[in-house]
Amino acid sequence: MVTVDNATAAILLSRPVSSHDETLSRLAFSLSRSLAEEGIGDEVFDTLEDVLGDRAQSAPPRRVHRSDDLLLRLGLPLPQRRRQEKATPMLPEEATRISDRFRRATTHLMQVVPHRVAMYPTEELRLLIALRDEQPTPDQAVAHLRRFAFAILTVLDLMGDEA
């Protein structure tokens, strides 16, 4: 730590550092950075990874391939396609824990976003608030949390977070 005498401090404090607008801009940027670092931490990013990575479900096997009709007309067998695995079931306590974490992140994002974007993302935040307020049934918890996670990632992407 450096000590400064009163005379030096008075000289330093009387010097203009920069223009008023530039100072406010720097201050707002620093403040928003510190807010972002406090609220959206590794814990939230790990939870986003858990929800979108491990529990991601493939598309249902109802998808019809164009080539299937042709193969049937020619009398050829249909190709064997990979069987799609279902997502592991989520315990209600785990769904509640993740949902609470996403709700806290949403509240924090609502405070930080105006300071981090050039144009306010009205639709993205409206969706985030709607998902925050939604109360899904236990069988819809995984799908709801995936939508919630994608909405959070969309807002983080708009903010330019490098997470």
Side-chain angles (χ1 to χ4, degrees):
M1 189 164 160
V2 177
T3 54
V4 178
D5 64 345
N6 287 341
T8 307
I11 293 170
L12 291 173
L13 291 173
S14 66
R15 257 197 269 167
V17 177
S18 62
S19 71
H20 184 66
D21 291 337
E22 183 181 340
T23 303
L24 289 178
S25 176
R26 276 195 227 166
L27 181 61
F29 177 76
S30 299
L31 180 60
S32 66
R33 271 289 178 204
S34 69
L35 287 172
E37 289 170 359
E38 288 173 15
I40 306 296
D42 292 336
E43 181 180 278
V44 173
F45 289 110
D46 291 342
T47 305
L48 288 168
E49 177 64 32
D50 289 345
V51 170
L52 296 175
D54 294 342
R55 301 197 183 282
Q57 292 183 5
S58 310
R62 294 184 207 147
R63 183 172 173 223
V64 178
H65 296 275
R66 291 181 183 174
S67 61
D68 289 354
D69 290 335
L70 179 62
L71 290 173
L72 287 173
R73 276 190 260 141
L74 296 174
L76 298 172
L78 294 175
Q80 293 290 336
R81 294 193 173 85
R82 286 189 202 180
R83 187 160 241 190
Q84 315 224 333
E85 298 178 21
K86 292 186 176 183
T88 56
M90 182 179 286
L91 298 173
E93 298 83 23
E94 185 180 7
T96 302
R97 179 184 57 81
I98 292 172
S99 186
D100 289 343
R101 188 171 290 162
F102 284 173
R103 283 186 180 100
R104 285 191 306 271
T106 299
T107 301
H108 179 72
L109 286 171
M110 297 295 295
Q111 296 169 354
V112 173
V113 165
H115 304 287
R116 296 285 302 273
V117 295
M119 193 166 208
Y120 194 79
T122 306
E123 286 302 311
E124 290 83 358
L125 290 176
R126 184 195 56 75
L127 175 63
L128 200 57
I129 291 169
L131 289 167
R132 179 192 65 188
D133 295 340
E134 192 175 316
Q135 298 294 325
T137 61
D139 60 326
Q140 297 173 339
V142 174
H144 173 261
L145 290 175
R146 287 188 70 220
R147 287 191 311 271
F148 208 165
F150 278 122
I152 290 172
L153 284 176
T154 300
V155 171
L156 288 174
D157 187 43
L158 291 172
M159 287 174 42
D161 247 50
E162 299 169 2

